[in-house]
Amino acid sequence: MINAKATVYGAEARKESRGAHAREDFKDRIDELDYAKPLDGQKPKPMEEHWRKHTLSWVDPETGKTTLTYRPVIDGTLAEKECATVPPAIRSY
């Protein structure tokens, strides 16, 4: 139940749709950059203004209080020479 509570709180806090995390009330994804345009010259939005981040959650087993924090997504690979980084892209069908 603690895991379920953490998952539900994290999902409810996300005000966008991304992959399997789709919400009918927030149909579009919100990224730090506009990946539909060239990335050169774009300034990333602060983490508070976008949802391309990891959600971390803690549930206090005594009180049931759920706390959410976030950390950035790591885009680079460990060995760029062996495996180049692939930038995100908007899916279009």
Side-chain angles (χ1 to χ4, degrees):
M1 290 306 291
I2 289 175
N3 285 342
K5 185 172 186 175
T7 300
V8 168
Y9 272 66
E12 195 279 327
R14 185 176 293 274
K15 307 297 185 214
E16 63 132 37
S17 287
R18 182 176 300 274
H21 305 284
R23 291 186 55 166
E24 291 188 14
D25 51 346
F26 297 97
K27 296 199 181 289
D28 297 323
R29 56 187 278 160
I30 305 167
D31 293 312
E32 75 277 33
L33 298 169
D34 185 349
Y35 292 106
K37 298 177 181 173
L39 299 181
D40 290 339
Q42 289 192 48
K43 183 178 177 191
K45 293 179 188 175
M47 194 166 11
E48 299 79 32
E49 295 179 18
H50 70 81
W51 285 97
R52 191 168 173 266
K53 55 190 170 189
H54 295 290
T55 303
L56 308 173
S57 59
W58 290 264
V59 179
D60 184 320
E62 301 296 324
T63 65
K65 181 179 185 280
T66 302
T67 304
L68 300 176
T69 60
Y70 304 93
R71 74 168 181 81
V73 172
I74 299 169
D75 288 322
T77 62
L78 294 175
E80 189 70 31
K81 286 183 177 181
E82 293 180 27
C83 181
T85 298
V86 178
I90 302 296
R91 288 186 196 178
S92 59
Y93 300 99

